[in-house]
Amino acid sequence: MKLECEVCIVGGGPAGALLSCLLAEQGVSTILVERQSVAGKAFRGEILNDEGQQVIQKHKLLEQIHEDYVLASTRIEYWEHQQQVKTVESAVGNVGVHIPQPHFLDALLKQASTYESFRYLAGTTVTALEGDSEQGYTGLTACDKNGDEVTIHSSVIVGADGRYSTVRKLAQMPVTNIRHGYDLLWAKITAPAGWEPVTRLALVNGRQLSLFSQAEGYIQIGWNVEEGSFPTLFKQSFEPFIQLLAEAFPDLEHNVYDRIHSWKDFVPLDIFSSRSETWSQNGLVLIGDAAHTMTPTGAFGLNAALKDADVLASELLRMRQEGGYTAAGLKAFEDERRQTVTELQERQLTMESTFHEHFLQVRILQKSNKRLPINNI
């Protein structure tokens, strides 16, 4: 099969789906290529912070998502030794909005599919790029779910295919990985009756344990563990580990034991951030984790990716109106976003290195036998 389009986007996650929607709405012939056959199967961030909410509201896309799948978190709580020691609230009314990824992607893809200029190729894996960085990339080849070859000729290739980006690898774009000293275990439990929509952050055995309220009545658990410890950890007894979680939050003990029965109920995530030396070449550009992988800290990754898509859409539309897509125009997008993204990555490093300080004041007061305050910041 041979296809043609103006913009070929690789990666059907939130950034790729949003960019497709914004371009197709303006009549730009757009093909979205996604390796997974089912949207939302791969794990990605699901919490919108202020930046992400602004992007979605700007394009009136939140209206496409049923209210049952949208949950605003009211505050962040810090806990230690079964005691809430600090509270952080937001002046804008929430500290984050959770939308389950399948519902988010479904809304974006449904909206994009209303435009004749959009085509979605699910279950399709990119195998090669056509062209090069000097003469310019002119398209790609891929293999669909039936094993047949697909050739796509395009003016611009957008790599929105995540931290292990195939597009980045095929284009031989150098990337530097940054280790953070920890990895992460994800798990999901049902929320008990009356559970408030909050985010809880705790210290358990010196490691960060996070609880994120989710739509549809769930709590997402994120547990920091020592970097590279998965093989050793999974050989150990499961019970002492899960008991620590139940002891940290006794009000969740029943739900924890009801939903988590073995190491198989945790999803391990290798934690690192990355910086690509360049995000753009002639006829090709990277966005989201393909350009700048982030850690889960602060939920910046998803939101920065959505902002990338928003800014890139504007730049592509500008170039189109002015006569054509250029390497200089793609570089202008990179220049506009790079400094902001670099600052966010540095902020993540700072947040991770100073996490323990949220509990320091409380420990000092405990030693002096003074009353523990609840700080509203």
Side-chain angles (χ1 to χ4, degrees), residues 127-269:
T127 56
L129 302 180
E130 301 294 331
D132 56 45
S133 59
E134 293 186 4
Q135 300 299 318
Y137 288 96
T138 58
L140 55 81
T141 58
C143 181
D144 69 14
K145 56 188 175 183
N146 298 317
D148 296 327
E149 185 176 89
V150 180
T151 301
I152 302 173
H153 178 78
S154 64
S155 299
V156 179
I157 300 170
V158 179
D161 50 343
R163 59 183 188 158
Y164 300 113
S165 172
T166 296
V167 171
R168 186 184 66 208
K169 181 179 179 180
L170 292 173
Q172 298 182 351
M173 301 171 78
V175 61
T176 300
N177 289 339
I178 304 166
R179 306 306 305 190
H180 289 245
Y182 71 96
D183 290 325
L184 191 65
L185 290 174
W186 284 118
K188 182 180 288 190
I189 64 174
T190 55
W195 179 266
E196 289 188 77
V198 300
T199 296
R200 288 186 180 183
L201 304 177
L203 271 179
V204 178
N205 278 6
R207 292 285 179 179
Q208 181 175 336
L209 174 64
S210 306
L211 305 178
F212 304 99
S213 296
Q214 294 190 318
E216 302 181 282
Y218 290 101
I219 298 171
Q220 182 81 46
I221 298 170
W223 198 329
N224 291 15
V225 297
E226 185 178 354
E227 181 181 357
S229 66
F230 293 150
T232 301
L233 189 63
F234 295 162
K235 292 178 182 178
Q236 298 175 2
S237 172
F238 173 74
E239 287 300 325
F241 188 84
I242 201 64
Q243 186 176 352
L244 289 174
L245 173 57
E247 290 175 350
F249 296 105
D251 53 340
L252 297 178
E253 181 175 4
H254 172 76
N255 303 73
V256 167
Y257 282 105
D258 183 58
R259 298 283 298 206
I260 305 178
H261 306 120
S262 72
W263 291 118
K264 294 181 180 179
D265 293 315
F266 282 101
V267 176
L269 182 63

Side-chain angles (χ1 to χ4, degrees), residues 327-365:
L330 297 178
K331 186 62 168 60
F333 154 75
E334 176 183 348
D335 292 342
E336 179 175 350
R337 290 291 295 150
R338 179 178 283 276
Q339 181 60 38
T340 298
V341 168
T342 299
E343 290 174 357
L344 285 175
Q345 289 183 317
E346 293 296 336
R347 185 178 172 189
Q348 284 191 317
L349 289 168
T350 300
M351 290 172 68
E352 291 168 358
S353 65
T354 61
F355 179 76
H356 288 65
E357 294 179 9
H358 292 283
F359 306 89
L360 182 61
Q361 180 184 4
V362 175
R363 291 171 186 155
I364 294 174
L365 291 170

Side-chain angles (χ1 to χ4, degrees), residues 67-86:
E67 62 180 9
D68 288 347
Y69 307 133
V70 179
L71 180 68
S73 186
T74 58
R75 62 186 181 273
I76 299 173
E77 300 174 351
Y78 291 83
W79 288 71
E80 189 175 26
H81 303 307
Q82 302 181 10
Q83 186 173 10
Q84 182 181 338
V85 298
K86 184 177 180 180

